[in-house]
Amino acid sequence: MELLNTNVAANRLNISRATILQRVENKTMVSLTFQTKKLKKHFIPSDFLHINPQKIEFHDCKVISIIQNKGGVGKSSLAINFASSLSLISSKKARILIVDFDPQANLSENFLSQNILSNKPTIADIMRLHKENRELVTKDVVLNSISTVEFENVKYDILPSSIDLGIEIESLRTKTTPETRLNRTLKLIEEFYDFIIIDTPPTVGLYTQMALNCSDDILLIAIPEEFPARGFKTLLEQLELYKNEMIDLKDSKDFNIFGLVINKIENTNLNKHYKDVLVELSFKAGIDNLYFIPKLLTMSESQAFHIPIFEYKQECDMGFKIGGEILKIAFDYLVKNGIIKED
């Protein structure tokens, strides 16, 4: 996927540049906008020239969990940028919530101010209320814990986490069906969102079971190295086990594995070998949607600036290698669910 300036986009569509700019202004064309010192520059992803964001029709809320049993693979980055892709494609029309369900709270700390994190409740506080008396967990309690994050090109809400989440999850183990507590929480607010994306911790314990219990789909992520490749095989086996165990849980969703993101790909023989291992394991598990993201400094730099990849100006100079692939994930997901329509 290329990132086209307005002149090239106009030539591709055989229309005037003024028409392109008008479509961008009216939000009837998918575009990225970057503010320079003198003016705004607009860029059009080549695969989205014929997509009109205003004709995207959302249905019931979809819950997607980002899952991997190894740390350092880029789960939180994928959660943020997948949410950003959905927002970008819809010109901020999609109502998106990211649930930080990791006690490390990296996602929350990277995108929310310390003032918000210090003064608003977190998912840990909500889980504590579940422990004390689940009737205390109301729609207003959950909504009051959520903060909105908006940039030039994308917008989403975040339900933050904190280190206390680990304590609260452990204390829930003594309760009846603790796996259902996150599901009960999200059902209270599903009417306000088109997509809820859950960033899970690098484990396949109770956290993962709670996320799976409320997920329509899961998006797996791995990196092409020895230990993550070994762990990926184990993860697939555990997911199948959990799927069977969840059949008897009340209101549990029958999740599907939407796809696998192979992240941080480098041009080495060893890296290629483990990428092939991950691809083979995926095909054996019936995972058809595979996405390949190269290891580039661009992603690390955008994280350092606390912004999604689509807000990072240098992305334009990197051939759109990362952003384009993440946009493809979102596009495929929208097509799979019958949400997106071509103009």
Side-chain angles (χ1 to χ4, degrees), residues 25 83 98 136-137 139 147 164 171 177 245 282 284 310 320 340:
E25 180 69 23
I98 305 174
L136 296 174
V137 182
K139 181 185 300 183
S147 297
D164 294 333
S171 65
T177 59
E245 290 178 349
S282 298
K284 286 181 178 179
F310 302 108
F320 206 45
I340 204 165

Side-chain angles (χ1 to χ4, degrees), residues 62-68 75 78-79 82 99 101 182 186 196-200 207-221 239 255-259 333:
K62 293 293 182 182
V63 181
I64 310 107
S65 287
I66 312 295
I67 291 179
Q68 175 49 257
K75 272 189 305 76
L78 178 60
F82 178 55
V99 179
F101 204 54
L182 182 60
L186 298 185
I196 297 177
I197 299 168
I198 305 173
D199 180 28
T200 63
Y207 292 93
T208 302
Q209 290 174 291
M210 294 173 79
L212 293 175
N213 186 257
C214 52
S215 295
D216 297 289
D217 297 284
I218 61 175
L219 185 58
L220 304 177
I221 180 170
L239 289 175
F255 68 85
N256 296 298
I257 300 178
F258 170 69
Y333 189 77

Side-chain angles (χ1 to χ4, degrees), residues 287-341:
I287 302 172
D288 297 323
N289 296 318
L290 300 180
Y291 304 95
F292 306 94
I293 298 179
K295 184 176 182 179
L296 293 174
L297 188 59
T298 315
M299 182 66 84
S300 298
E301 289 175 339
S302 69
Q303 293 170 5
F305 287 114
H306 310 292
I307 56 176
I309 193 71
F310 302 108
E311 300 295 329
Y312 188 50
K313 298 179 180 62
Q314 294 301 315
E315 177 67 0
C316 297
D317 301 325
M318 295 301 297
F320 206 45
K321 291 181 180 178
I322 296 177
E325 190 69 5
I326 299 176
L327 271 177
K328 187 176 186 302
I329 301 171
F331 178 78
D332 288 349
Y333 189 77
L334 293 173
V335 169
K336 175 232 176 192
N337 287 284
I339 296 171
I340 204 165
K341 295 181 179 179

Side-chain angles (χ1 to χ4, degrees), residues 113-120:
S113 69
Q114 192 57 49
N115 181 55
I116 290 176
L117 294 175
S118 299
N119 293 291
K120 295 193 73 168

